[in-house]
Every structure is written in C-alpha cells, then in structure tokens.
Amino acid sequence: MTTNHSHHARETTILQPGTIAPDFTLKSTPDQAVSLSELRGRPVILLFYPADWSPVCGDELAIFNELLPDFHHLGAELLAISVDGVWCHAAFASDRGLHMPLLSDFEPKGAVSRAYGAYREQDGYSERALFLIDDEGVIQWSYCSPVGVNPGADGILAALESLSGSGASEARS
C-alpha cells in the first residue's frame, strides 16, 4: 500500500495520552494572553472547536460553560480554542454568557491547533477535539469527534474524575 499524504481521508492525528502537551501563549482578549505553562500544577482541559458562531459549537460550549463549576471543583482550568479573532470571541462570549477563556489561534493561523494535531488543513479551522492535560503538563486523555457532532462532556468529566482519583472524593467530604 502506498503512503497517502492526502489530508482529505485521514484518521485523526490528534496527540495521544502520554504526550507532553505543547506549550503555547494565545490572546484571550485584545490585551491579555494565556500561556499553558502558567497553569502547570493543575489539570487543564483544552477544547478545540471549529468556529464561534456555528450551531454545534454554540451547543458544545454551552454545556461546558454549565459544567465550569464541576471542572473547578475538580481543580481544573478550561480553555476553549478556535481560529477566530479576539474581537469575534469577545462578541460570542458576551452573546452566549460564556465564562471560560476563548483563546484566539488566529495568527499564525491554527498554529496551536496544528501542534496538537487538530487542524483541518482543507477547511482552515480546528477539529472538534478535547484534551485533558495533567498537573505536570502531560496529556492524559484526548478525543476527536466529527466536526458536526457535539461530543458532550461525559468523556472529559470521567477522565478528570479518574485523574483526580481519591482526591476528588476527599475534597467533597
């Protein structure tokens, strides 16, 4: 079988568990930036999504927004990333009442998404991909769903709870 480097019919290439999460610094507002390395010491959920105003993304982000207290209870930070610009993110977050940072992977376009193997070259935007990074910066869980499908949050919550292990139940008592 010949090696086919076509981007059209490809298996998902997202980074797998056990991989060191590539560090990045992205704008969260026109004058503020967030670096992954700043969050070392706590779990981080990275949510890559195609575009702010697409219907499925709105639904997916609404679910994650509702679950923010659960994520924070388990000690995790949530960062959502798309190739949209900061002003687009600001309008979208305001319109939808979103409370997680929306990071702009805008220039160079998709660079962070590419580093995580989640960029769709043929479409010019990210896959719908989720990563759970542990407190030492290692990917513990990753999942890529079809762009048209909302993956929900069950998988990431289960992964986060297993990462927290007994610590989560102690924190609740």
Side-chain angles (χ1 to χ4, degrees):
M1 185 179 145
T2 58
T3 311
N4 180 359
H5 289 291
S6 159
H7 288 291
H8 294 292
R10 66 185 176 85
E11 291 299 300
T12 172
T13 55
I14 64 167
L15 296 183
Q16 296 301 304
T19 313
I20 300 284
D23 193 21
F24 59 81
T25 300
L26 289 175
K27 292 251 177 133
S28 54
T29 69
D31 54 0
Q32 289 180 298
V34 174
S35 296
L36 183 61
S37 54
E38 288 168 6
L39 300 171
R40 188 65 46 85
R42 58 194 306 185
V44 177
I45 299 161
L46 292 187
L47 185 160
F48 286 91
Y49 65 101
D52 281 345
W53 300 96
S54 75
V56 177
C57 298
D59 294 346
E60 180 184 12
L61 291 173
I63 290 171
F64 278 79
N65 197 51
E66 282 171 30
L67 288 169
L68 274 175
D70 298 301
F71 296 141
H72 291 158
H73 182 78
L74 292 166
E77 274 304 318
L78 171 64
L79 303 175
I81 301 173
S82 81
V83 297
D84 296 291
V86 286
W87 299 108
C88 185
H89 277 338
F92 183 62
S94 167
D95 184 75
R96 299 296 164 92
L98 300 176
H99 301 293
M100 81 266 308
L102 300 183
L103 303 185
S104 178
D105 193 9
F106 184 70
E107 191 55 51
K109 187 177 178 194
V112 175
S113 181
R114 277 191 183 88
Y116 282 80
Y119 191 70
R120 294 172 65 90
E121 208 62 60
Q122 72 276 25
D123 296 315
Y125 53 72
S126 292
E127 297 280 6
R128 193 173 299 288
L130 285 164
F131 296 88
L132 176 60
I133 300 165
D134 70 14
D135 55 1
E136 292 176 0
V138 177
I139 296 170
Q140 291 298 324
W141 184 89
S142 62
Y143 179 75
C144 187
S145 62
V147 163
V149 176
N150 178 349
D154 295 346
I156 196 83
L157 270 172
L160 187 55
E161 283 168 357
S162 69
L163 181 64
S164 306
S166 59
S169 51
E170 286 166 25
R172 287 194 188 106
S173 56

